[in-house]
Amino acid sequence: MPNNNLVITSVMENGQTFRPADWIERISSTLASFKIDNRLRYSQGVQPCMIDGEPCLVVAPWLEATDRLAFDYVMDFAQANQLKIQPDRRTGDRALLKSD
């Protein structure tokens, strides 16, 4: 059963690699929060991920309804920088961001 997550890659529409290389960590940490144990936890709606050896940002579809500002922030960044956005085709244990 496919998930409906979106994957944003570091590859731009023109085939070039987007710089800075740490953009995924920057966006992920911007939307993360510190929990009671003082450890940084990524949002369940936006998480860094490695897919086929490539760093990517995975965005859950439910984020648009639950945190529209965060969803718009991420999607506007990707579109403004012409980053490739594609459906997440991973299934089962390989899939991320199961909606609760």
Side-chain angles (χ1 to χ4, degrees):
M1 180 165 115
N3 63 57
N4 294 321
N5 297 330
L6 298 173
V7 175
I8 304 172
T9 69
S10 293
V11 178
M12 298 167 48
E13 305 254 342
N14 64 7
Q16 294 181 337
T17 300
F18 180 73
R19 298 284 183 237
D22 67 346
W23 73 269
I24 294 170
E25 290 82 15
R26 290 182 188 196
I27 287 183
S28 298
S29 62
T30 298
L31 300 173
S33 60
F34 284 96
K35 298 299 180 185
I36 198 160
D37 62 359
N38 292 324
R39 293 183 65 189
L40 186 67
R41 303 275 194 235
Y42 290 121
S43 163
Q44 289 185 344
V46 179
Q47 295 187 358
C49 182
M50 292 293 281
I51 299 175
D52 296 330
E54 168 124 13
C56 300
L57 189 65
V58 179
V59 181
W62 50 261
L63 185 65
E64 185 173 15
T66 61
D67 191 345
R68 182 62 188 242
L69 290 176
F71 181 83
D72 287 347
Y73 170 72
V74 172
M75 299 310 289
D76 288 347
F77 178 88
Q79 291 167 353
N81 291 291
Q82 300 177 345
L83 299 174
K84 289 185 180 179
I85 303 170
Q86 56 200 31
D88 187 355
R89 292 184 174 85
R90 296 170 301 152
T91 59
D93 292 339
R94 295 191 62 214
L96 281 180
L97 307 167
K98 296 167 181 73
S99 58
D100 298 328

